[in-house]
Amino acid sequence: MESVKLFGTWSSPSSKRVEIALKLKGVEYEYVEEDLQNKSPDLLKYNPIHKKVPILLHNGKPIVESLLIVEYIDETWPGPAILPSDPYDRAMARFWAKFLDEKCWPAMKKAWLSTGEEQEKANEEANEALMFLENELKGKKFFGGDTIGLVDIAANLIALWYGINEELSGLIQQPLTKDKFPNLCEWVDEYTNCSFVKENLPPTDKLAQLYMARIQADKASAQ
Amino acid sequence: MESVKLFGTWSSPSSKRVEIALKLKGVEYEYVEEDLQNKSPDLLKYNPIHKKVPILLHNGKPIVESLLIVEYIDETWPGPAILPSDPYDRAMARFWAKFLDEKCWPAMKKAWLSTGEEQEKANEEANEALMFLENELKGKKFFGGDTIGLVDIAANLIALWYGINEELSGLIQQPLTKDKFPNLCEWVDEYTNCSFVKENLPPTDKLAQLYMARIQADKASAQ
């Protein structure tokens, strides 16, 4: 019998990427919540190099790194395609997913955690990165076109973060506003209203509390 | 008629990755050498986000990021497979390629450019990263098994760097020694002796000079 186990944490956008891909494909799985302050022997055994979640354990074989897991899921199970079939479109999807992880998310985090001049610079970088995504969505419902694909699942972190926008408004500057980024804001609505995404969103108040505590702790330790 | 153009620089291990993948597949291409101190309008047009090489232009469409280009080449042209066909093996190949870019290479660069205590720590990190690769090669000729695959092409940078080992020995500490990393050193020999790799290696003396100048400049500006 097939065994599919996911090690994750409820607040991690990366873990959520994997859950959403599994739900999109209709794959049954067992979910194991990890406490990152006290990592389980299984976590350390299955991801000895990075020692982090998510980890997908498929018939006893571990796969790590959220985007690689999503590609694995797409190649392994039937159901709606997550990556396009055309090689050029696939390369572009991988490009934007990588861009989200390597450019967009670090700039957004820096904009949250820095202050003064550094924050202004980081805000500019985050704005620039988000504007590339805004343009990429022109005339499209999802990054993947009419249906959710790799880039939508990767951009999960923007949707989660947008959801706690208001709660954090006193604490951080929010570059993602409807007047500046109408396409991205509309995308967040469309994306978070898909049933298999909606049922996977972490509770907004709990997530806001967690991020608020993290931001305050990071700012305090940076001073 | 098909048009394949590669924008690269002779000393870049990332550009070389793409050239080696094209040669492996037997794809004819036009090569355009870029001067990164004076980037061409084409470079800025085809890679407006990262503004760097390599860029593969296939029938007028640009693909960027070396590992993504290599996957694109594998999916587009017939010839020897670069990625394995099994989804789990594919995920593992992508994992090690990512590991080389995100863990191994940054640790090696840091070990070159830092001094004192910081250098000792960086050397330890580089050693640890290389040891994961050393173990991955156990009982195998190439990372890809009997033939060159994605991880070998990604690990290109280790082969290039090993080649200028001696020239730089007075300047940097070399963790990649035969007694500590016999599998990796043997891999470098096997890899660099493949005809389509060999004909693509940059001249060792020119490369050593370039790196030497860079390391000295970086160390000077860090002081």
Side-chain angles (χ1 to χ4, degrees):
Chain A
M1 212 191 102
E2 186 171 65
S3 129
V4 184
K5 208 170 182 172
L6 172 64
F7 298 82
T9 54
W10 69 271
S11 62
S12 150
S14 305
S15 297
K16 291 293 171 192
R17 284 174 173 173
V18 178
E19 286 200 81
I20 285 164
L22 289 168
K23 299 222 180 234
L24 182 62
K25 291 282 189 180
V27 179
E28 297 280 330
Y29 63 97
E30 181 192 343
Y31 177 76
V32 181
E33 176 72 17
E34 277 287 334
D35 173 6
L36 297 185
Q37 305 306 315
N38 183 20
K39 294 174 182 175
S40 75
D42 272 353
L43 186 153
L44 301 173
K45 175 178 158 194
Y46 293 128
N47 193 357
I49 295 186
H50 301 302
K51 302 181 180 68
K52 60 183 189 179
V53 292
I55 303 166
L56 185 74
L57 198 67
H58 184 204
N59 295 333
K61 285 175 164 181
I63 306 115
V64 301
E65 302 271 3
S66 65
L67 293 177
L68 303 188
I69 301 174
V70 172
E71 285 219 44
Y72 175 81
I73 290 169
D74 196 33
E75 292 176 0
T76 301
W77 285 283
I82 296 175
L83 271 92
S85 58
D86 175 75
Y88 186 76
D89 295 338
R90 291 165 76 82
M92 290 313 293
R94 289 180 183 130
F95 171 82
W96 288 112
K98 197 168 166 7
F99 173 79
L100 274 153
D101 274 4
E102 292 177 10
K103 285 272 172 188
C104 194
W105 190 232
M108 281 163 67
K109 267 206 293 201
K110 210 172 157 196
W112 287 3
L113 300 175
S114 52
T115 50
E117 251 183 65
E118 207 191 340
Q119 188 177 45
E120 259 175 61
K121 209 181 145 230
N123 270 328
E124 259 175 54
E125 273 173 42
N127 261 312
E128 196 192 8
L130 288 169
M131 195 49 82
F132 280 119
L133 296 172
E134 172 73 10
N135 291 331
E136 188 51 25
L137 275 169
K138 234 175 230 167
K140 290 195 287 191
K141 187 172 168 187
F142 296 111
F143 288 101
D146 290 332
T147 53
I148 284 184
L150 181 72
V151 187
D152 299 281
I153 293 175
N156 197 32
L157 48 90
I158 293 185
L160 289 186
W161 164 75
Y162 186 75
I164 54 172
N165 206 348
E166 244 174 73
E167 279 84 347
L168 298 184
S169 60
L171 207 59
I172 57 173
Q173 208 177 324
Q174 292 295 344
L176 193 57
T177 54
K178 273 190 185 155
D179 54 332
K180 272 177 79 176
F181 299 99
N183 299 337
L184 260 173
C185 291
E186 207 166 306
W187 170 83
V188 172
D189 273 349
E190 291 281 4
Y191 178 74
T192 52
N193 275 311
C194 288
S195 58
F196 58 92
V197 174
K198 206 172 194 170
E199 68 189 45
N200 245 294
L201 293 177
T204 313
D205 50 345
K206 210 175 146 197
L207 194 65
Q209 267 177 11
L210 180 81
Y211 272 70
M212 218 179 291
R214 267 195 208 161
I215 292 168
Q216 281 166 335
D218 279 357
K219 287 208 178 187
S221 73
Q223 271 168 2
Chain B
M1 210 191 102
E2 185 171 67
S3 130
V4 184
K5 208 170 182 172
L6 172 64
F7 299 82
T9 54
W10 68 271
S11 62
S12 148
S14 305
S15 296
K16 292 293 172 193
R17 285 175 174 172
V18 178
E19 286 201 80
I20 285 164
L22 289 168
K23 298 222 179 230
L24 182 62
K25 291 281 189 179
V27 179
E28 297 279 331
Y29 63 97
E30 180 192 342
Y31 177 76
V32 181
E33 176 73 18
E34 278 287 336
D35 172 6
L36 296 185
Q37 305 306 313
N38 182 21
K39 294 173 183 176
S40 76
D42 273 352
L43 186 153
L44 300 173
K45 175 178 160 196
Y46 294 128
N47 193 358
I49 296 186
H50 301 301
K51 303 180 181 68
K52 59 182 191 179
V53 293
I55 302 167
L56 186 75
L57 198 67
H58 184 204
N59 294 332
K61 286 177 165 178
I63 305 116
V64 301
E65 302 270 5
S66 65
L67 293 177
L68 304 187
I69 301 174
V70 172
E71 285 218 44
Y72 175 81
I73 290 169
D74 197 33
E75 291 175 1
T76 300
W77 285 284
I82 295 175
L83 271 92
S85 57
D86 175 75
Y88 185 77
D89 295 340
R90 291 165 77 82
M92 289 313 293
R94 289 179 183 131
F95 171 82
W96 287 113
K98 198 167 167 4
F99 172 80
L100 274 153
D101 274 5
E102 292 177 10
K103 285 273 173 186
C104 194
W105 190 232
M108 281 162 68
K109 267 207 292 203
K110 209 170 156 198
W112 288 2
L113 300 175
S114 53
T115 49
E117 250 184 64
E118 207 192 337
Q119 188 178 44
E120 258 175 61
K121 209 182 144 231
N123 270 328
E124 257 174 57
E125 272 173 43
N127 260 314
E128 195 192 7
L130 289 170
M131 195 50 82
F132 280 119
L133 296 172
E134 172 73 10
N135 291 332
E136 189 50 25
L137 276 170
K138 234 174 230 167
K140 290 196 285 191
K141 187 173 169 187
F142 295 111
F143 288 101
D146 290 333
T147 54
I148 283 183
L150 181 72
V151 187
D152 298 282
I153 293 174
N156 198 30
L157 48 89
I158 294 186
L160 290 186
W161 164 76
Y162 187 74
I164 54 172
N165 204 349
E166 243 173 74
E167 279 85 348
L168 298 183
S169 60
L171 207 60
I172 57 173
Q173 208 178 321
Q174 292 296 346
L176 193 55
T177 53
K178 274 191 186 154
D179 54 333
K180 271 176 80 177
F181 300 99
N183 299 337
L184 261 174
C185 291
E186 208 167 305
W187 170 84
V188 173
D189 272 350
E190 291 280 2
Y191 178 74
T192 53
N193 274 312
C194 289
S195 59
F196 56 93
V197 174
K198 206 173 192 168
E199 67 188 49
N200 245 294
L201 292 177
T204 312
D205 50 346
K206 213 175 143 195
L207 194 65
Q209 266 176 13
L210 180 82
Y211 272 69
M212 217 179 290
R214 265 195 210 161
I215 292 168
Q216 280 166 336
D218 279 357
K219 288 207 176 186
S221 74
Q223 271 167 3

